């Protein structure tokens, strides 16, 4: 089992460009998450999907959109990238949406917006 | 004030030493507690859950103090491979959400 996979691993964008970060999990998990990690800020939740067909905003959703394509895949889109979106993005999944569930993370996407 | 606070470190200790660090949380409604480990430029991974009675996993011991609203992680006989950032995570069952601390960096020197 690959667990949680993310593509791409690295990306450089110019301000105003758009891109989609892809995430897939093969653990048959119901819930999936997108986080960003910035120095000194910890992991902050951007969007999450409790189950296939549902998505909800997290702590920092502005400038992002998501799609839960099916149970396995959850994508994050930046419509018009800004330098403030330079960060490391992690996708995660868990069996259920519950505070006591372990979250499993993908390897991350390092994004630089110039 | 952050909901979950950790000393960023770095804690720089010699191999074989015992090291401990705490994490404080502000919301008394917190119900789930975890320590995750994150290696440099890697993803976070669950190290251990923290139970009310405390729990031990090999060289690692986690404790919860609800009265003072903090959790702790103790590492005995530290190894070079323990060098990492340790993330404190607090969960709220009512909201089905978890909050990550910004991490404590640990560096073990030979």
């Amino acid at each position: 089992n690959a667990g949680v996979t993310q593509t791409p691993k690295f990306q450089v964008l110019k301000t105003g460009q758009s891109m989609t970060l892809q995430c897939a999990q093969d653990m048959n998990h119901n819930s999936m998450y997108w986080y960003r990690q910035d120095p000194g800020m910890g992991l902050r939740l951007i969007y999450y999907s409790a189950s296939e067909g549902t998505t909800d905003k997290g702590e920092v959703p502005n400038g992002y959109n998501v799609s839960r394509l099916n149970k396995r895949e959850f994508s994050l889109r930046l419509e018009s990238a800004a330098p403030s979106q330079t960060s490391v993005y992690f996708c995660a999944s868990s069996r259920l949406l519950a505070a006591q569930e372990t979250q499993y993370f993908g390897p991350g996407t390092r994004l630089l917006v110039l | 004030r952050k909901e979950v606070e950790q000393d960023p470190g770095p804690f720089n200790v010699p191999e074989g030493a015992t090291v401990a660090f705490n994490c404080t949380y502000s919301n008394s409604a917190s119900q789930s507690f975890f320590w995750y480990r994150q290696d440099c430029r890697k993803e976070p991974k669950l190290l251990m859950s923290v139970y009310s009675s405390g729990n031990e996993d090999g060289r690692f011991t986690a404790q919860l103090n609800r009265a003072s609203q903090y959790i702790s992680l103790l590492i005995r006989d530290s190894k070079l491979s323990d060098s990492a950032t340790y993330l404190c995570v607090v969960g709220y069952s009512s909201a089905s959400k978890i909050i990550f601390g910004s991490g404590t960096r640990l560096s073990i020197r030979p």
Side-chain angles (χ1 to χ4, degrees):
Chain A
N1 287 352
V4 180
T5 57
Q6 291 183 235
T7 56
K9 286 187 168 51
F10 305 95
Q11 185 70 48
V12 179
L13 292 178
K14 294 180 180 177
T15 297
Q17 287 185 317
S18 62
M19 78 162 295
T20 299
L21 282 65
Q22 306 287 354
C23 173
Q25 52 90 9
D26 62 2
M27 295 175 282
N28 200 35
H29 284 171
N30 289 293
S31 302
M32 297 184 74
Y33 314 82
W34 277 105
Y35 293 91
R36 59 177 290 172
Q37 186 174 37
D38 302 293
M41 300 289 289
L43 285 155
R44 291 183 292 168
L45 184 64
I46 304 171
Y47 271 92
Y48 66 97
S49 171
S51 60
E52 187 178 354
T54 71
T55 61
D56 283 288
K57 295 178 180 179
E59 182 187 353
V60 289
N62 291 346
Y64 306 95
N65 283 301
V66 291
S67 295
R68 183 74 183 267
L69 304 167
N70 47 55
K71 191 171 185 179
R72 289 187 65 248
E73 298 172 286
F74 188 38
S75 63
L76 178 72
R77 182 159 179 84
L78 287 70
E79 290 292 350
S80 178
S84 60
Q85 294 178 304
T86 292
S87 188
V88 181
Y89 291 85
F90 287 103
C91 176
S93 71
S94 63
R95 191 176 58 93
L96 298 171
L97 180 71
Q100 64 268 34
E101 290 287 324
T102 300
Q103 293 196 7
Y104 297 84
F105 286 82
T109 294
R110 282 165 177 75
L111 176 66
L112 173 62
V113 183
L114 301 173
Chain B
R1 184 185 172 189
K2 291 181 182 178
E3 286 191 74
V4 178
E5 293 207 64
Q6 295 183 252
D7 181 340
F11 285 65
N12 191 332
V13 303
E15 198 173 5
T18 295
V19 60
F21 27 84
N22 292 341
C23 161
T24 59
Y25 59 94
S26 60
N27 191 332
S28 59
S30 306
Q31 293 169 298
S32 307
F33 307 90
F34 310 88
W35 284 103
Y36 277 67
R37 171 194 168 125
Q38 185 172 23
D39 292 311
C40 187
R41 301 181 72 79
K42 298 285 189 180
E43 71 272 21
K45 292 182 180 178
L46 179 69
L47 177 66
M48 57 198 306
S49 302
V50 187
Y51 305 121
S52 296
S53 55
N55 49 305
E56 190 174 307
D57 183 3
R59 298 181 293 107
F60 298 82
T61 300
Q63 298 278 358
L64 167 63
N65 186 316
R66 283 194 185 273
S68 300
Q69 295 186 199
Y70 72 87
I71 66 172
S72 63
L73 180 66
L74 178 81
I75 305 174
R76 290 180 298 277
D77 187 23
S78 53
K79 312 289 184 193
L80 294 175
S81 57
D82 295 333
S83 295
T85 296
Y86 291 84
L87 306 175
C88 169
V89 181
V90 173
Y92 305 94
S93 297
S94 58
S96 297
K97 79 170 188 178
I98 64 174
I99 305 290
F100 284 81
S102 48
T104 295
R105 194 152 61 91
L106 174 65
S107 179
I108 308 297
R109 63 179 188 271

